[in-house]
Amino acid sequence: MEHPTPFGIARAGTTILSVRAYNQRVLLLNLLRHQPVSRIRLARLCGLSATTVTNLVADLLARGVVREAGTDLAAARPGAGRPPQALQLVPDSRLVLGVHIGVRRARLALCDVSAQPLAGCETPLVAHESASQNLARIAAAASALIGRTGEAGDGGRENGAHEIGGRLLGVGVGASGLTDVETGINVFAPNLSWRNVALRDILSEQLRLPVTVDNNVRCMALAESLYGAGRNVRSLVYVYGRMAVGAGLVVDGELYRGAGFGAGEIGHWTMVPRGGKRCRCGNHGCLETLISEPVLVERARQVDPYVVEQSEQPLQAVLAAARRGHAGLRAMLAEQAFYLGIALANLVNVVNPHLILLGGLLWEAFDLLHRDVETAMRRHAFGDLGAKVTLLPATFGEQAGEIGAAALALDHFFFRRPAA
Ligand SMILES: [Zn+2]
């Protein structure tokens, strides 16, 4: 059912929007969600007057961001003549670069307005090198990808790079750990041993492009909300597990960051207060000590060392053995899934989201985990709250990081900037 969806109130993030910019943001987001859509239906969806919509659309048509295409059958009325002309976003009218900073590597993707990757690459992050050395490597990879240095890998990519022209709006960076979105500083990234790294300013200076930064899991949540399974819900939680565990929260269509940009640190929820394993944060029995990749591999080793040691990719070997019916490994995964379900039940009681998405290794192992996760979540959530939430695997799978970072850039430089 359609209803006015004024997503995009100016309170989140850093930009205070003018009335015109705010109206344009609401219009572009509704266009994204409902296209192809006519002006008249857009006015209804946005809660704006027909005149305001006509003026905004005229401007967007002139800038080549929107085009008229076909008719809006959903707006047709019996006996009212021809259905009205429909509008669509022009996907390749603008481009952004998404940079995902992971634990061992950074992944980059040049994306269009529909967050579709047009080209991509990755570069290693070296633990014993400084943050500035690693960022220089990321900047070099980015430059190659967008054709600034002419060293862009294969010929196809280089040909693509020459066509970028003035369409590139900016760069979104999904950073690891605690990130101050207002200063663009990566305050603390324990997996990289980075403290107070001025990510935004360093990359912006090296690339001579505007850069915006946020936590990488929060970026993945934003991508789901704009382009993925969450595009028609008002609140969702994206839970990511890999070396660490964390969550991104979208509340009423906006990212929720918290007072100190730390909202969603569910990896450090205390699950086993007495006798729990020591966590890298200094506490004991955190969720991360139950369902991160190193923990799953270690538990699997205790169950069946042969499965773990015969493979270069132990987690994948464990999951494959469980899929083939390895009873011991299935029981181990069921126990870890139970704890994740308890954590999600607690999350449901706080956020009461429409949708929970599982990413990273939880996406990879979704088929093995989701029944036990769901059972525990529904049983332990308050009343019937657990029955009202949908649990799904993340939409963008392995590309969640770079598409998330691109979504951050699109949100910042496309949906919020009328002049772009
Ligand atoms: Zn912890």
Side-chain angles (χ1 to χ4, degrees):
M1 201 185 74
E2 278 186 1
H3 51 85
T5 50
F7 291 109
I9 297 160
R11 76 183 126 70
T14 58
T15 325
I16 303 300
L17 300 179
S18 67
V19 171
R20 184 179 168 81
Y22 171 76
N23 287 344
Q24 182 182 273
R25 171 169 165 75
V26 172
L27 185 134
L28 285 172
L29 288 174
N30 276 289
L31 199 50
L32 175 71
R33 287 188 166 94
H34 300 283
Q35 61 186 345
V37 55
S38 59
R39 290 170 180 79
I40 188 153
R41 197 154 64 92
L42 264 179
R44 205 158 57 229
L45 288 164
C46 300
L48 295 171
S49 73
T51 314
T52 303
V53 167
T54 301
N55 289 339
L56 288 170
V57 167
D59 182 39
L60 294 169
L61 283 167
R63 282 157 42 204
V65 172
V66 165
R67 68 174 164 231
E68 293 180 320
T71 52
D72 184 0
L73 296 174
R77 293 272 179 279
R82 256 164 49 93
Q85 178 108 60
L87 301 162
Q88 284 182 358
L89 289 172
V90 180
D92 60 355
S93 60
R94 300 291 186 275
L95 306 172
V96 294
L97 182 66
V99 179
H100 166 71
I101 298 183
V103 175
R104 294 186 206 94
R105 62 185 69 88
R107 291 169 63 111
L108 294 78
L110 185 68
C111 292
D112 67 16
V113 167
S114 56
Q116 188 68 37
L118 306 177
C121 66
E122 60 176 56
T123 182
L125 295 172
V126 183
H128 63 264
E129 288 186 4
S130 68
S132 54
Q133 283 171 302
N134 278 302
L135 289 178
R137 201 175 298 111
I138 290 174
S143 297
L145 195 60
I146 60 183
R148 286 281 166 88
T149 63
E151 295 164 5
D154 59 273
R157 187 173 295 162
E158 200 169 357
N159 290 338
H162 286 299
E163 296 160 20
I164 287 175
R167 292 181 296 159
L168 186 61
L169 296 176
V171 182
V173 181
S176 170
L178 200 58
T179 306
D180 183 330
V181 301
E182 282 170 17
T183 59
I185 291 175
N186 196 184
V187 179
F188 183 39
N191 284 318
L192 297 164
S193 305
W194 290 4
R195 276 185 192 275
N196 296 315
V197 176
L199 270 187
R200 183 183 66 199
D201 292 350
I202 293 171
L203 285 176
S204 182
E205 193 183 308
Q206 297 195 3
L207 294 171
R208 282 169 284 127
L209 283 168
V211 174
T212 184
V213 182
D214 206 333
N215 168 268
N216 51 20
V217 178
R218 212 167 279 146
C219 292
M220 297 175 201
L222 180 66
E224 292 285 352
S225 168
L226 290 173
Y227 298 99
R231 55 206 297 267
N232 290 312
V233 304
R234 299 190 71 95
S235 60
L236 67 87
V237 178
Y238 187 101
V239 178
Y240 183 84
R242 186 59 73 184
M243 306 312 277
V245 176
L249 278 63
V250 174
V251 178
D252 284 337
E254 289 283 353
L255 280 181
Y256 181 74
R257 298 182 169 93
F261 309 104
E265 287 291 348
I266 66 164
H268 303 285
W269 246 342
T270 305
M271 301 294 292
V272 189
R274 294 215 174 89
K277 222 178 134 206
R278 191 179 163 80
C279 180
R280 65 195 169 93
C281 75
N283 288 332
H284 287 266
C286 296
L287 180 61
E288 203 167 289
T289 68
L290 296 165
I291 59 158
S292 65
E293 181 165 338
V295 171
L296 285 189
V297 169
E298 194 40 48
R299 297 247 163 155
R301 193 192 304 276
Q302 288 159 13
V303 174
D304 189 339
Y306 175 76
V307 171
V308 171
E309 278 150 26
Q310 52 109 23
S311 173
E312 296 271 287
Q313 294 186 300
L315 178 74
Q316 285 68 28
V318 169
L319 299 182
R323 285 186 187 109
R324 288 194 302 269
H326 192 303
L329 292 175
R330 289 185 82 98
M332 182 277 291
L333 288 172
E335 196 194 339
Q336 308 313 106
F338 167 77
Y339 282 111
L340 177 60
I342 299 287
L344 296 190
N346 291 334
L347 197 56
V348 165
N349 289 353
V350 178
V351 184
N352 189 13
H354 294 94
L355 178 64
I356 295 178
L357 295 146
L358 299 185
L361 82 86
L362 307 175
W363 165 80
E364 219 179 318
F366 190 83
D367 60 319
L368 294 164
L369 299 174
H370 78 99
R371 275 181 212 89
D372 295 306
V373 171
E374 217 164 321
T375 303
M377 177 183 77
R378 300 212 196 286
R379 189 168 296 156
H380 290 272
F382 177 68
D384 66 348
L385 292 184
K388 291 185 171 157
V389 58
T390 305
L391 185 71
L392 290 176
T395 309
F396 301 112
E398 282 177 341
Q399 290 185 299
E402 55 270 37
I403 291 179
L408 177 74
L410 287 163
D411 185 55
H412 202 81
F413 299 119
F414 183 69
F415 292 112
R416 288 177 196 272
R417 293 279 171 91

